Amino acid sequence: MPQGDKHFEHLKLPVNWGVMALVAAVCIFGALSFLGDRREEVSGRSYGNRSGFDAAAGPASNVLATPAHVVGDGANWIDDYFFAVRENRILKKRVQDLSLYRDMYFQQKDISERYEKLLNLRTEPPVEMVTARSVSVSRGPFNNNRLIDAGSNAKIRFGNPVITDQGLVGRVVGVSPKVSRVLLITDVVSRTPIMIARSDARAVMSGDGGEFPRLDFVRGKDAVKKGDQILTSGDGGIFPRGLPVGEAVQGVDKVWRVKLYANRAPIDFVKILLYEDFSQFPEADQVLMTPQITELLPQPAIPQPVTAGAAGAASSAGVASSAAAPVSGAATSAAARPAAPRPAQPRPAQTRPAQTSATQPAQAQTQSAAATPATEVPF
Amino acid sequence: MKTPFIKTPLKVTLDRGVRKGMAQRMIGPLDWIGWPALWVLAGTILLATPMKIFGLYLPEPVLPLALAFSWPLIRPSYIAPLVLALMGAFLDYFWGAPLGFWTLSLMIVYGVTFLLRGYIVGQDMMVITALYGSAVIGFFVLNTLLATIDSGMVPRLISVFEQALATFAAVFLVLWLLETFVHADVRFQ
């Protein structure tokens, strides 16, 4: 033993006290961090400092989740195999029911468009949309988040609503170039302004970490009934109006809750609406400028001077030309005339979404999330 | 056959020898801190896969709680609480919790278990299991309070119970860690 160590050979470091001091220091640090990171206001500032972690966690989750995906796909295959007959019967009945609704939809859509033009109604333009895949989820009672594999490179911004083909999922609260974090509507800090479709009553849907968010601040008697459809109200500009959310159910505690449409199927592929708030609509080049009613009416026929020679030739030939004979032209019904050309409308140069996204979810799922071109949905 | 007794002119002593396991390798921090931490992280990421099997989501246990309960029982260490703090920070970021949420609750469990270490080490397996269950209950009560303070909304207690149950299932990891590492170094008995 070296000479210098003999004075310290009986010195024992107070390990227990040292560890306790370390634990106390970490606890104090954690408490200060917690108090400084209050999330009662969902803002970009409180989530923005995590984009670096999310950018790294997204690909790692994708790789580590591969075995789980393989197992899940296998289980789904077994599930489909054993329940194919029953599911086929259900789907046939559903197709039969939906065929009626499809025909009604086209009729009502046509009528609705006519009314919009006649009333000079300003409707909201289609919202651009991006498809992404969910790569990770936290679904505990304290935090409900998802990581999706599309970010600011796909023009996603803080606050963009996220939906599936079933209904509303949540909103983007963190963005990095290739990965975004979605705050689910079931999270304890989530508050969603909604309306009940039947009564048009307003309420706030508050997440509590469970699968059935509760309805708060419901106004009016019998404003909610079991099975009522819940839609986003658009109040506050957080979400666009009319996104399907779920159905009203009443718990054993007599509290109204929402059975979410998004829980009907696994949330794998999601669509991010590039919607920030209502203020983006009044842009001059975005607003759907419907034409004036006078522009839609047929142009009055302009009387043309009739020459004697021409009249003689026409009568001799026995041909009644509407252009040359204003009287006969006025007597002709509007239906018999060729339709007046519809004035050009400054619609945004975007494709109609119903054919691309809503009716073809399977096709959308095969598309790569990051490389998926933007499509749109009308609201 | 070697006799355990060594006869010397002055006295007879018992030759206990060197334990076979200790003679082969020393248990370092990587064995009882590093690898379990990595396994727990990988398990956490794996169970966060967004998928349903036969209509059910994967469970979401707080696996680092098993380490927060086991590590202080194995031996006092400066490395273990630091690694545990890093794991808490990882959960904060990965699950999108407020910063310090999981770090604080995990460290409180570690600290309390460390204070009671002398009473717990050496107890029967059933007692250890019951004490781990108590730690799980205290942990989730604390988290429920913290979440209520943070959001102003009481989390759904059924969901809390479900996650607590999934976390309690990690008691097998606790028992394995204690069985493997508690008696690995007699200096900490």
Side-chain angles (χ1 to χ4, degrees):
Chain A
M1 176 181 292
Q3 185 67 22
D5 287 349
K6 69 177 184 180
H7 301 296
F8 302 103
E9 62 181 320
H10 298 298
L11 178 64
K12 286 183 68 176
L13 285 174
V15 177
N16 288 356
W17 287 104
V19 171
M20 285 308 300
L22 184 60
V23 170
V26 174
C27 282
I28 292 171
F29 178 77
L32 292 177
S33 301
F34 177 71
L35 292 174
D37 194 26
R38 299 287 296 276
R39 297 187 308 159
E40 67 272 19
E41 293 180 1
V42 180
S43 64
R45 186 172 54 86
S46 59
Y47 284 89
N49 56 358
R50 304 182 180 202
S51 57
F53 178 88
D54 291 347
S61 297
N62 232 346
V63 171
L64 285 176
T66 302
H69 275 298
V70 171
V71 173
D73 292 344
N76 289 336
W77 184 86
I78 293 172
D79 198 42
D80 292 343
Y81 183 82
F82 282 107
F83 297 102
V85 174
R86 190 189 69 171
E87 193 169 356
N88 195 26
R89 286 183 188 140
I90 295 172
L91 289 176
K92 279 181 179 175
K93 187 174 185 309
R94 189 170 293 175
V95 167
Q96 192 178 1
D97 295 341
L98 290 178
S99 297
L100 299 173
Y101 283 108
R102 183 197 58 191
D103 297 340
M104 287 171 57
Y105 164 75
F106 285 126
Q107 291 174 0
Q108 295 301 321
K109 182 168 174 281
D110 183 58
I111 293 172
S112 176
E113 285 180 352
R114 287 168 186 261
Y115 278 134
E116 284 174 7
K117 292 182 177 114
L118 287 172
L119 296 172
N120 198 18
L121 190 68
R122 197 195 79 176
T123 57
E124 295 177 348
V127 177
E128 214 176 339
M129 197 169 64
V130 173
T131 304
R133 181 173 189 174
S134 173
V135 295
S136 168
V137 60
S138 69
R139 49 186 168 270
F142 309 113
N143 317 107
N144 282 193
N145 292 271
R146 279 181 184 273
L147 287 181
I148 56 174
D149 62 352
S152 56
N153 288 349
K155 297 192 283 186
I156 295 174
R157 298 285 179 270
F158 178 89
N160 287 159
V162 179
I163 62 172
T164 62
D165 53 346
Q166 304 285 338
L168 182 66
V169 171
R171 53 187 292 216
V172 174
V173 293
V175 184
S176 63
K178 292 184 178 178
V179 177
S180 300
R181 182 173 291 275
V182 178
L183 180 74
L184 303 183
I185 52 178
T186 53
D187 192 279
V188 288
V189 299
S190 174
R191 306 287 184 273
T192 308
I194 58 97
M195 65 180 178
I196 292 95
R198 179 184 57 82
S199 61
D200 204 29
R202 299 304 203 265
V204 173
M205 186 176 70
S206 304
D208 61 356
E211 290 188 3
F212 302 92
R214 55 187 292 167
L215 289 179
D216 291 331
F217 308 111
V218 182
R219 293 284 184 268
K221 190 178 180 182
D222 294 332
V224 189
K225 287 184 178 176
K226 183 181 178 183
D228 279 352
Q229 191 183 25
I230 309 292
L231 307 171
T232 55
S233 67
D235 296 337
I238 300 173
F239 294 101
R241 177 191 168 99
L243 292 179
V245 178
E247 289 178 0
V249 292
Q250 197 167 27
V252 292
D253 53 356
K254 301 298 179 187
V255 174
W256 284 106
R257 294 181 178 273
V258 181
K259 185 179 180 183
L260 298 173
Y261 289 148
N263 286 339
R264 285 173 172 171
I267 300 174
D268 193 5
F269 285 87
V270 295
K271 298 164 187 173
I272 303 99
L273 306 178
L274 302 184
Y275 169 92
E276 294 176 13
D277 55 50
F278 62 91
S279 64
Q280 76 186 73
F281 287 143
E283 298 291 334
D285 56 344
Q286 296 259 327
V287 173
L288 177 62
M289 296 292 290
T290 52
Q292 298 293 326
I293 187 65
T294 52
E295 298 174 6
L296 292 171
L297 294 175
Q299 296 293 326
I302 302 171
Q304 299 290 332
V306 179
T307 60
S315 58
S316 61
V319 176
S321 169
S322 62
V327 176
S328 62
T332 308
S333 67
R337 290 197 306 269
R342 300 175 73 175
Q345 300 172 10
R347 289 174 182 261
Q350 296 163 338
T351 58
R352 301 294 291 179
Q355 293 85 3
T356 58
S357 58
T359 60
Q360 297 178 357
Q363 182 182 356
Q365 290 189 357
T366 59
Q367 296 172 345
S368 171
T372 300
T375 55
E376 299 137 14
V377 289
F379 295 105
Chain B
M1 182 176 177
K2 185 181 177 183
T3 175
F5 294 98
I6 301 173
K7 293 181 180 178
T8 60
L10 296 177
K11 58 181 179 179
V12 177
T13 59
L14 182 64
D15 181 14
R16 296 180 185 276
V18 179
R19 289 183 181 179
K20 189 176 179 182
M22 291 177 63
Q24 286 181 341
R25 58 190 281 264
M26 292 294 291
I27 303 297
L30 190 63
D31 297 308
W32 67 282
I33 296 176
W35 288 116
L38 289 177
W39 295 339
V40 162
L41 289 185
T44 302
I45 295 174
L46 197 65
L47 290 173
T49 307
M51 56 175 292
K52 279 184 172 179
I53 297 180
F54 299 120
L56 296 173
Y57 275 114
L58 296 175
E60 192 182 60
V62 188
L63 293 177
L65 183 63
L67 303 181
F69 185 78
S70 306
W71 283 349
L73 300 181
I74 293 174
R75 67 183 68 168
S77 168
Y78 288 108
I79 301 174
L82 289 177
V83 173
L84 194 65
L86 289 177
M87 296 186 72
F90 169 80
L91 290 186
D92 290 340
Y93 277 91
F94 187 66
W95 283 346
L99 290 180
F101 182 83
W102 295 107
T103 308
L104 181 61
S105 50
L106 286 173
M107 291 310 295
I108 287 176
V109 170
Y110 183 95
V112 172
T113 311
F114 188 77
L115 284 174
L116 302 175
R117 177 175 185 269
Y119 302 99
I120 301 175
V121 174
Q123 296 282 357
D124 187 65
M125 190 178 72
M126 294 302 292
V127 177
I128 297 287
T129 304
L131 289 172
Y132 178 68
S134 306
V136 169
I137 292 172
F139 177 77
F140 278 95
V141 168
L142 176 65
N143 280 338
T144 303
L145 290 174
L146 289 177
T148 306
I149 292 171
D150 179 55
S151 63
M153 170 71 76
V154 180
R156 189 165 175 255
L157 296 181
I158 295 175
S159 302
V160 175
F161 176 74
E162 289 171 355
Q163 192 174 32
L165 201 62
T167 306
F168 179 72
V171 69
F172 297 106
L173 175 61
V174 173
L175 295 176
W176 179 80
L177 283 170
L178 296 181
E179 181 69 24
T180 308
F181 297 114
V182 160
H183 300 297
D185 197 331
V186 295
R187 292 176 298 170
F188 298 101
Q189 298 301 306

